[in-house]
Amino acid sequence: MDVDRSVTHPPAGAVQRPVARWRNGRVDEHIDCVAEEVPVAVVCNSRHFAVMMATPTDLDDFALGFALSEGLIAVPAELLALHAQTQIEGVELHLTLPPERAAALVRRERSLEGRSGCGICGSRHLEDLLRVPPRVTASPRITGAALDAALAQLADHQSLAAATGATHAAAWADDRGRIHLLREDVGRHNALDKLIGALHRDDRSLDAGFAIVTSRASYEIAMKAASAGIAVLAAISAPTALAISLADSAGLTLIGFARPGGCAVYTHADRYAGQPAELREAPYPAPPARQPGDDA
C-alpha cells in the first residue's frame, strides 16, 4: 500500500522533499515528509564531548537526559546552564557543569563522531563503555493490562513517526498504562535521552510507572534507563544478551517483545504482575518476523 505522507504543515523535526514513486511500472511525483537528521554536538565547559546524529527537537530535554544517562552529572541541578547554538553544520549544545564534573570528563575523553544517536560509538576505552549504573531503587508494580493500554496509545502520540515513518519513540506511562510523556528521534538512544530529560524537567516520580521504547533493548538502552532510575523498561523488540546482564545486575526489570496480550520478562519479573487469568490461557503471541532495517 502506497502511503502519501505529504502534509500541509510538517510537524517539528520534519521537512518536505519531492520524490518520484514507482509502482507497477508507473511513476508519480509526490511531496514526501521526511525526518530531519543533523549533527548535534555536546560541548561541556567549552570542551567538545561527543557529536550525535539527531532530530533537532526537544534539545533541552536531550541535553539534560544525555548528561544524566552518560554520567556527566549525577543530578539535574548539576547542569548549571545550557545554551543551544545553531550553525550551518548543525547544533551545538553548550553545557556548563561544576568544575569537578568537567575535570572528570577530561579523564574519559571521547572522539567526536557518533552514528544516529549511538552514544557509545565514540567511546575510547572499555571502562567508558561498560559503565555499571547505581542499582535501581524504584519499585512499581506493572500489570499486563497497563502495558497493553500503553502499547495501544503509542501510535497516537507519535506524530513525527506518522508523518515520516523514520523515527523511534520513548514513552513514559503511569501504572494504569496512561502515556504522559513521549519523545521521538531518528536515533533510539536519543529518544530515550529526551524522555529522561523530560521526566526530570516534569519532576515526575519514577515509583509509579514504566518506560516503553519502539526498538530493541540494546545494552546502552538498558544502561540509560537504569542510570535514570527507571525500574521497568519495555521494548517492542528483542533485548541483547549484554542488556539482560546489565539489567539483572542493576535491578532493572527488562521486558522484550511487548505486544498486546503478552511479552517476555527477562529480569526482575517481580515487578510485572502479568495478565488476568482469562488472558493467560490464550496462546502467547509469537514474536514477529524481523525485517531488514528493524531497530535501525
Side-chain angles (χ1 to χ4, degrees), residues 25-267:
R26 295 183 55 186
V27 62
D28 294 309
E29 300 293 332
H30 291 270
I31 298 297
D32 200 13
C33 195
V34 297
E36 289 188 272
E37 184 179 29
V38 303
V40 175
V42 177
V43 184
C44 301
N45 292 34
S46 301
R47 189 181 187 89
H48 282 79
F49 180 72
V51 176
M52 321 299 291
M53 298 305 298
T55 302
T57 58
D58 300 305
L59 291 181
D60 286 357
D61 290 338
F62 170 72
L64 177 58
F66 181 84
L68 288 165
S69 71
E70 288 292 316
L72 310 188
I73 59 176
V75 294
E78 289 186 327
L79 180 54
L80 304 180
L82 168 64
H83 171 66
Q85 183 176 355
T86 301
Q87 301 181 345
I88 295 176
E89 299 87 353
V91 180
E92 284 190 347
L93 297 177
H94 291 266
L95 283 60
T96 302
L97 311 181
E100 62 274 16
R101 291 292 181 185
L105 294 185
V106 177
R107 297 191 293 270
R108 52 173 287 206
E109 280 189 334
R110 299 162 60 116
S111 65
L112 303 182
E113 181 180 358
R115 296 181 181 177
S116 295
C118 179
I120 65 175
C121 292
S123 298
R124 299 177 66 180
H125 305 288
L126 287 176
E127 60 267 28
D128 292 340
L129 170 59
L130 298 177
R131 293 184 292 114
V132 178
R135 191 168 181 85
V136 173
T137 59
S139 55
R141 181 75 166 167
I142 306 303
T143 66
L147 180 56
D148 284 354
L151 290 169
Q153 298 170 58
L154 269 179
D156 292 338
H157 290 266
Q158 293 177 253
S159 59
L160 192 54
T164 68
T167 56
H168 281 295
W172 179 258
D174 63 22
D175 54 5
R176 295 177 61 182
R178 298 173 297 190
I179 291 179
H180 291 270
L181 294 168
L182 184 141
R183 294 294 183 266
E184 295 181 273
D185 199 278
V186 290
R188 58 187 181 271
H189 307 101
N190 295 339
L192 183 55
D193 277 331
K194 289 178 179 181
L195 177 67
I196 291 169
L199 283 168
H200 283 278
R201 289 185 183 279
D202 200 46
D203 197 25
R204 191 164 293 275
S205 171
L206 302 182
D207 285 318
F210 59 100
I212 302 177
V213 292
T214 60
S215 66
R216 67 178 177 270
S218 63
Y219 162 81
E220 194 180 18
I221 291 289
M223 184 270 292
K224 286 178 178 291
S227 296
I230 293 170
V232 179
L233 173 67
I236 66 171
S237 191
T240 66
L242 192 56
I244 294 171
S245 296
L246 181 282
D248 186 49
S249 63
L252 170 69
T253 298
L254 183 60
I255 297 173
F257 297 112
R259 295 289 188 274
C263 63
V265 185
Y266 289 86
T267 59

